[in-house]
Amino acid sequence: MTASPPRSADCSRCLALCCVGPSFAASADFAVDKPARTPCRHLRPDDGCGIHDRLRSRGFPGCAVFDCFGAGQQVVQVTFSGARRRVPAMFDALEVLRPLHEVLALLDEAVRTPLAAEAGELRDRVEAMATLPAEALGGVDVGAVRREAGALFDEVVAAAHAGRPGPDLRGADLLGADLRRRDLRSARLRGALLVGADLRRVDLDRAELLGADLRGADVRGARLAGALLLTAPQLEAARGDAHTTVPAHLDRPTHWTALPSAR
Ligand code: SF4
């Protein structure tokens, strides 16, 4: 029986694919430019990161929040049968598997809802795609998978809101917005730009956060425990504290404890 594809990264079973394959541009997330398929200047010969314990202070918060959802070790250990050296085709595989693994992580949440049957059926199909051989991965229509999953997630959210939705803020530009007085319970914040937004002590119970950009959002004291379709890298990108509640299936980011409390 084939093992289920992993949902979280195990860099010890990868070949630093995410430190070589993607490009990045000098910005608030990365201190330098890096072309695609070129090793990062901080990548050590043993495939470890030379600044792993200082990513944020050295100007690489984008690396601190990046999550392959286990796609990297799936490429190395399964698609390439435990290969010991990087080859270019691994990056092609990663570009397909990373979004598939993200969808799988979200479907794991969806199978715990009234849409369990539909989510389980789609999860089975996406898991089968994630275990395809390298030469077949190019035929996977990632966009179609995302669209199908997105429609299912719409149903998950509608069921959770039970006919009482909050404000529809899908795709809204809320960059730096002070949202402390907004009632965001059951809000639809899919794809919303919440970079640097002030969400201190905001109750986000049943708020949909699928794809919301939470980089630098201040969620100290916020109630995120009941938020819908929130992922680990989104939490990592936000700034919370000991009073922020998080969904039971997600870990509290370790860097939050160093932040001053909102209370
Ligand atoms: S800074 Fe570290 S984690 Fe980020 S790409 Fe470079 S080696 Fe990888």
Side-chain angles (χ1 to χ4, degrees):
M1 189 176 143
T2 308
S4 287
R7 309 314 202 237
S8 57
D10 179 354
C11 299
S12 70
R13 305 188 73 230
C14 186
L15 292 169
L17 298 185
C18 65
C19 300
V20 180
S23 63
F24 42 72
S27 60
D29 291 325
F30 302 102
V32 297
D33 290 320
K34 185 187 88 60
R37 305 192 180 201
T38 304
C40 171
R41 63 172 65 177
H42 295 299
L43 187 62
R44 299 188 312 226
D46 67 356
D47 284 341
C49 171
I51 58 169
H52 179 70
D53 56 349
R54 289 159 285 151
L55 283 168
R56 292 175 193 277
S57 63
R58 292 290 298 271
F60 286 83
C63 295
V65 306
F66 179 82
D67 193 334
C68 74
F69 295 94
Q73 73 257 35
Q74 181 77 0
V75 169
V76 173
Q77 301 299 331
V78 177
T79 316
F80 286 83
S81 308
R84 309 287 286 270
R85 294 171 62 96
R86 282 188 296 272
V87 295
M90 289 180 177
F91 303 122
D92 297 328
L94 186 66
E95 286 171 10
V96 176
L97 287 188
R98 201 263 179 186
L100 293 187
H101 279 236
E102 182 173 13
V103 167
L104 286 172
L106 291 162
L107 287 170
D108 287 345
E109 179 180 338
V111 297
R112 297 191 293 269
T113 72
L115 275 295
E118 295 88 338
E121 188 274 328
L122 180 55
R123 184 170 69 172
D124 289 346
R125 281 193 283 123
V126 179
E127 286 196 339
M129 293 177 204
T131 54
L132 287 170
E135 57 274 17
L137 283 175
V140 172
D141 187 341
V142 174
V145 173
R146 280 181 160 150
R147 285 191 292 278
E148 185 174 357
L152 176 67
F153 297 145
D154 278 332
E155 294 184 55
V156 167
V157 172
H161 292 169
R164 295 190 299 279
D168 188 346
L169 296 166
R170 284 176 285 182
D173 183 351
L174 297 167
L175 187 141
D178 184 348
L179 300 169
R180 287 176 295 171
R181 288 184 168 72
R182 292 287 297 267
D183 183 355
L184 294 179
R185 290 172 294 176
S186 297
R188 298 212 64 182
L189 288 158
R190 182 180 299 198
L193 186 62
L194 289 160
V195 176
D198 193 342
L199 289 159
R200 282 177 289 169
R201 293 187 287 274
V202 172
D203 186 353
L204 288 151
D205 188 44
R206 302 188 194 195
E208 181 205 2
L209 289 167
L210 179 65
D213 191 339
L214 287 163
R215 284 176 294 164
D218 192 341
V219 296
R220 287 177 291 165
R223 289 187 59 197
L224 289 166
L228 306 175
L229 303 169
L230 176 66
T231 61
Q234 287 173 295
L235 274 186
E236 278 290 336
R239 301 165 54 231
D241 68 2
H243 300 287
T244 310
T245 66
V246 302
H249 63 282
L250 296 177
D251 294 329
R252 175 182 300 278
T254 53
H255 71 93
W256 283 7
T257 55
L259 293 168
S261 174
R263 301 181 183 201

